[in-house]
Amino acid sequence: MSPVRSEGWIAGLRRFTHGAEPEQRCEMCSAVIRADHRHLMQISERRLLCCCHACAVLFGNGAENNYRLIPTRSQQLTDADFVLTDAQWDTLQIPIDIAFFFKSTPLSRVVALYPGPAGTTESSLDLSAWEELQAESPVLAALAPDVEALLINRAHGARDYYRVPIDQCYALTGIIRTHWHGLTGGTEAWAAIHRFFVGLHANAAAPERSFHA
Ligand SMILES: [Zn+2]
Ligand SMILES: [Zn+2]
């Protein structure tokens, strides 16, 4: 009798009795993937895809131009990296205090999105305002197109800015969509948003389901 096999069986039974989430598969090749898998961005559709290690290596190396591997590292920006005055924020005309910005290859411009209970909404960004920001904060020029974003959190007096993998922005959007109630969100939603930012500080993974919510 193989001990490995029996361990697998017990683990399987445990998963079954605890009602774990169904196994996940790579959206490129259908291989079973682990909970801490990587994500690919399908550029033309702006679509997030869960992928296995082999596909991450293959497509991450540019095997297909329409896919790009999403990086994993988040970085909180310091005052030395990024400056945004309240007046500059106002010119960006984002109606809520959380937003993210990324460079879109298909659109050849910077896209500003803000999350809400119905998903993300695109803001018509004044490009000159972005260029002004970028002139003062070169980190913005370094953002990898389509897969990295500037994430802004000015909610409840925060002035936090992050360079993040774009899947984190999808996760935050999923969290807001799942928990938001009424006009102001409610305490449950804001507790979940707070947990997301605490996790971002610790470079912890957001719950997988939030990426696809
Ligand atoms: Zn795969
Ligand atoms: Zn995934």
Side-chain angles (χ1 to χ4, degrees):
M1 187 181 83
S2 152
V4 172
R5 197 166 159 187
S6 104
E7 267 170 29
W9 181 80
I10 290 168
L13 184 67
R14 203 172 282 141
R15 271 199 300 278
F16 177 75
T17 53
H18 285 77
E21 304 200 353
E23 68 179 9
Q24 265 199 291
R25 291 187 175 269
C26 173
E27 292 181 76
M28 305 301 287
C29 75
S30 299
V32 174
I33 50 176
R34 299 169 10 159
D36 62 345
H37 56 265
R38 299 288 298 268
H39 289 132
L40 286 166
M41 177 57 72
Q42 186 182 9
I43 310 278
S44 58
E45 307 290 319
R46 204 189 287 168
R47 190 165 154 240
L48 190 70
L49 300 165
C50 301
C51 73
C52 71
H53 179 71
C55 288
V57 171
L58 183 67
F59 292 96
N61 284 333
E64 244 261 41
N65 265 340
N66 193 26
Y67 297 92
R68 221 155 283 162
L69 187 63
I70 298 177
T72 53
R73 189 168 163 270
S74 300
Q75 176 196 359
Q76 183 165 14
L77 302 177
T78 65
D79 292 347
D81 300 315
F82 183 73
V83 181
L84 181 71
T85 64
D86 291 352
Q88 282 172 319
W89 173 248
D90 291 342
T91 63
L92 295 174
Q93 295 189 312
I94 307 286
I96 73 160
D97 295 325
I98 294 172
F100 55 94
F101 299 78
F102 69 97
K103 295 173 190 167
S104 161
T105 302
L107 299 175
S108 304
R109 63 176 173 86
V110 173
V111 173
L113 294 171
Y114 54 91
T120 54
T121 304
E122 196 162 330
S123 160
S124 52
L125 177 68
D126 176 359
L127 197 63
S128 63
W130 177 265
E131 280 169 357
E132 188 189 314
L133 284 181
Q134 190 165 288
E136 291 172 30
S137 304
V139 68
L140 300 184
L143 290 178
D146 307 297
V147 293
E148 268 193 319
L150 167 72
L151 174 61
I152 291 181
N153 175 23
R154 294 168 60 95
H156 304 150
R159 294 289 182 270
D160 294 336
Y161 308 107
Y162 305 85
R163 177 182 183 173
V164 293
I166 202 159
D167 57 358
Q168 295 296 320
C169 300
Y170 281 70
L172 178 58
T173 302
I175 287 165
I176 290 174
R177 185 158 34 186
T178 308
H179 296 283
W180 198 272
H181 293 291
L183 279 177
T184 55
T187 48
E188 189 204 334
W190 283 105
I193 293 166
H194 179 71
R195 277 197 303 278
F196 168 85
F197 281 106
V198 169
L200 203 57
H201 277 283
N203 228 338
E208 172 64 22
R209 61 185 179 282
S210 60
F211 291 107
H212 312 284

